[in-house]
């Protein structure tokens, strides 16, 4: 089986979680790095990672690596790669990228050179002089770090955090990949009951349900590499079927609450689109009235952070309320993500465990209470 190297970019702080996931999926030579995980495998592994990864932002095929300190070295390095292996005569192949601490620092110039080099390679490979670029899209990405160039092809298309169930979201929604990471860190996927008393459009609840039921987050969506002539369609069909066969019939229920009625209707709509509508309910409820009912449960919360002064004060009052209603109870645990440096003081007690996570570029802490 032909092997390739792949790159899975991810949010900072979850590289280890993503690396473990890739190993479980069968990837080889898994190497977590800052903001990404590198791994190897066949085209089957590429399809599987796109369909099944809960934490990757996208899956990129590493076409090659080389050093370039001049435009000529960049041109020759890109031209030497076998672009015809994946890009057909009619495919569009736009180029984007970035450069850091390198001799080549003009991004527009680098884009133009990379594009020209690929065109010249394909002209020779196909014996043509013009590309219509009217069919499938092969997004080319380059990165230049300390003069080392990495050139990649994106296989995902729309980012993998867009599962397809959240066409409309409430204000300041949490990213699906971050929500999935919180579910992993708190082991909420093993719980029978998960609650979010500030649920918004329900992302944390839905990701918890998907993980508990073993439903692959990408099993219902499409990917750009599905339309590449170089990849047999049966690879995608077989990997999608295998993902469905790994679904689990386990006892699970999720309950959400929010004071904003306008977002509560989205919870049911989004959950139904994700295939977990039967396991999630949400109703209008004030956080102050929350009670941990039952023998066991996991509470997950992404409360409003507040950006303006008055919003910050409101968020701080919310943290104080949480400290009062999230009472220690055997069998129950609580996890709240927040960027506020004084969260524990406002909450009223130190966390039993903390984990640094990034919500986009915003550094946060996941405060966990289970004693």
């Amino acid at each position: 089986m032909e092997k390739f190297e792949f790159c899975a970019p991810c949010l900072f702080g979850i590289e280890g979680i993503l690396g473990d996931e890739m190993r479980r999926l069968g990837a080889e030579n898994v190497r977590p790095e800052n903001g990404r995980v590198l791994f190897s495998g066949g085209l089957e592994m590429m399809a599987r990672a796109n369909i099944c990864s809960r934490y990757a932002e996208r899956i990129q095929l590493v076409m090659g690596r080389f050093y370039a300190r001049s435009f000529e070295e960049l041109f020759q390095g890109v031209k030497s790669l076998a672009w015809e292996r994946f890009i057909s005569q009619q495919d569009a192949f736009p180029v984007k990228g970035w450069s850091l601490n390198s001799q080549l620092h003009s991004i527009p110039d680098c884009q133009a050179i990379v594009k020209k080099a690929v065109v010249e390679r394909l002209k020779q490979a196909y014996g043509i002089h013009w590309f219509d670029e009217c069919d499938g899209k092969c997004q080319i990405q380059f990165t230049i770090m300390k003069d080392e160039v990495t050139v990649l092809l994106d296989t995902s298309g729309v980012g993998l955090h867009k599962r397809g169930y959240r066409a409309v979201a409430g204000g300041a929604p949490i990213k699906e990949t971050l929500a999935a990471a919180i579910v992993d860190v708190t082991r909420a996927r093993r719980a029978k009951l998960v609650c979010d008393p500030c649920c918004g459009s329900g992302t944390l609840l839905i990701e918890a349900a998907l993980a508990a039921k073993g439903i692959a987050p990408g099993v219902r969506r499409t990917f750009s590499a599905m339309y590449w002539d170089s990849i047999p369609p049966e690879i995608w069909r077989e990997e999608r079927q295998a993902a469905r066969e790994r679904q689990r019939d386990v006892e699970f229920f999720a309950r959400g609450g929010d004071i904003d009625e306008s977002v509560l209707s989205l919870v049911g709509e989004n959950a139904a689109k994700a295939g977990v509508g039967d396991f999630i309910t949400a109703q209008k409820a004030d956080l102050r009235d929350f009670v941990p009912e039952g023998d066991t449960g996991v509470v997950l919360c992404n409360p409003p952070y507040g950006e303006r002064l008055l919003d910050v004060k409101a968020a701080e009052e919310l943290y104080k309320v949480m400290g009062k209603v999230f009472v220690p109870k055997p069998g129950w645990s609580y996890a709240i993500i927040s960027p506020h440096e004084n969260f524990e003081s406002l909450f009223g007690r130190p966390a039993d465990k903390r984990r640094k996570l990034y919500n986009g570029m915003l550094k946060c802490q996941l405060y966990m209470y289970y004693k």
Side-chain angles (χ1 to χ4, degrees):
M1 181 177 67
E2 190 176 8
K3 296 292 181 67
F4 304 91
E5 183 180 17
F6 299 98
C7 174
C10 64
L11 296 171
F12 287 106
I14 68 171
E15 297 90 345
I17 296 172
L18 175 56
D20 290 341
E21 177 186 55
M22 288 301 165
R23 293 185 188 96
R24 290 195 300 270
L25 291 175
E28 302 172 15
N29 196 23
V30 177
R31 292 110 61 207
E33 298 182 353
N34 285 336
R36 67 181 188 178
V37 172
L38 301 173
F39 62 95
S40 302
L43 294 176
E44 294 83 0
M45 184 63 226
M46 179 272 296
R48 190 179 312 148
N50 271 298
I51 293 168
C52 298
S53 180
R54 302 185 190 281
Y55 318 115
E57 295 300 311
R58 58 183 61 252
I59 305 298
Q60 299 167 319
L61 173 64
V62 180
M63 293 296 294
R65 285 196 187 89
F66 55 89
Y67 282 91
R69 297 175 179 84
S70 68
F71 288 132
E72 179 62 21
E73 289 179 334
L74 178 62
F75 178 86
Q76 294 299 336
V78 173
K79 186 181 176 184
S80 70
L81 303 175
W83 296 101
E84 66 276 9
R85 174 68 176 81
F86 295 101
I87 301 178
S88 74
Q89 297 183 41
Q90 290 78 37
D91 286 337
F93 45 98
V95 177
K96 63 180 181 181
W98 54 264
S99 176
L100 187 65
N101 299 329
S102 301
Q103 293 293 314
L104 301 177
H105 52 79
S106 170
I107 302 306
D109 288 339
C110 289
Q111 285 177 299
I113 294 295
V114 171
K115 180 76 173 185
K116 181 180 178 181
V118 176
V119 168
E120 289 303 312
R121 172 79 186 207
L122 294 178
K123 282 167 63 176
Q124 292 179 6
Y126 294 126
I128 58 177
H129 298 283
W130 181 260
F131 293 90
D132 291 330
E133 296 194 41
C134 58
D135 286 348
K137 180 178 178 181
C138 297
Q139 176 70 61
I140 297 173
Q141 169 91 40
F142 68 85
T143 69
I144 309 177
M145 170 68 80
K146 296 181 179 178
D147 299 322
E148 184 181 22
V149 181
T150 303
V151 192
L152 314 104
L153 268 180
D154 174 49
T155 72
S156 301
V158 176
L160 296 183
H161 70 279
K162 294 187 177 181
R163 322 292 206 201
Y165 64 73
R166 200 172 73 176
V168 181
I174 193 170
K175 205 170 188 179
E176 293 91 332
T177 43
L178 177 57
I182 290 173
V183 169
D184 182 275
V185 170
T186 59
R187 299 184 179 181
R189 66 187 184 280
R190 302 177 183 175
K192 294 182 179 179
L193 173 64
V194 173
C195 301
D196 182 356
C198 304
C199 69
S201 57
T203 305
L204 279 165
L205 301 175
I206 293 171
E207 291 297 325
L210 290 173
K213 294 291 184 178
I215 299 174
V219 75
R220 296 180 173 219
R221 57 159 284 180
T222 60
F223 310 93
S224 62
M226 289 175 59
Y227 305 102
W228 296 359
D229 294 338
S230 55
I231 300 179
E234 57 266 24
I235 287 179
W236 294 97
R237 289 196 297 268
E238 291 171 2
E239 289 299 331
R240 209 177 292 272
Q241 180 58 33
R244 291 192 175 100
E245 291 174 357
R246 287 193 292 270
Q247 294 179 12
R248 300 185 291 268
D249 184 15
V250 297
E251 183 181 351
F252 177 86
F253 188 72
R255 186 171 68 232
D258 205 289
I259 59 172
D260 186 354
E261 289 185 283
S262 65
V263 298
L264 288 173
S265 62
L266 298 176
V267 179
E269 294 175 15
N270 293 343
K273 290 177 183 176
V276 293
D278 293 338
F279 315 111
I280 297 175
T281 63
Q283 61 184 12
K284 184 177 181 180
D286 194 309
L287 173 66
R288 293 173 176 81
D289 299 324
F290 176 79
V291 177
E293 298 176 339
D295 295 332
T296 61
V298 175
V299 174
L300 306 177
C301 256
N302 172 42
Y305 299 159
E307 295 179 358
R308 298 185 300 272
L309 180 59
L310 291 177
D311 292 337
V312 170
K313 291 184 178 297
E316 289 176 345
E317 289 301 316
L318 197 62
Y319 299 153
K320 293 176 183 178
V321 172
M322 286 181 172
K324 294 177 181 177
V325 300
F326 292 172
V327 295
K329 182 178 179 180
W332 280 79
S333 65
Y334 307 92
I336 308 100
I337 185 170
S338 172
H340 202 298
E341 294 182 356
N342 296 320
F343 173 86
E344 290 168 301
S345 176
L346 293 164
F347 189 83
R349 60 186 187 274
D352 298 310
K353 187 177 181 181
R354 297 193 302 177
R355 173 131 184 184
K356 183 167 66 175
L357 296 172
Y358 282 80
N359 192 353
M361 296 304 295
L362 184 63
K363 185 173 72 172
C364 299
Q365 291 282 350
L366 181 65
Y367 298 93
M368 292 172 275
Y369 297 85
Y370 48 81
K371 293 181 182 177

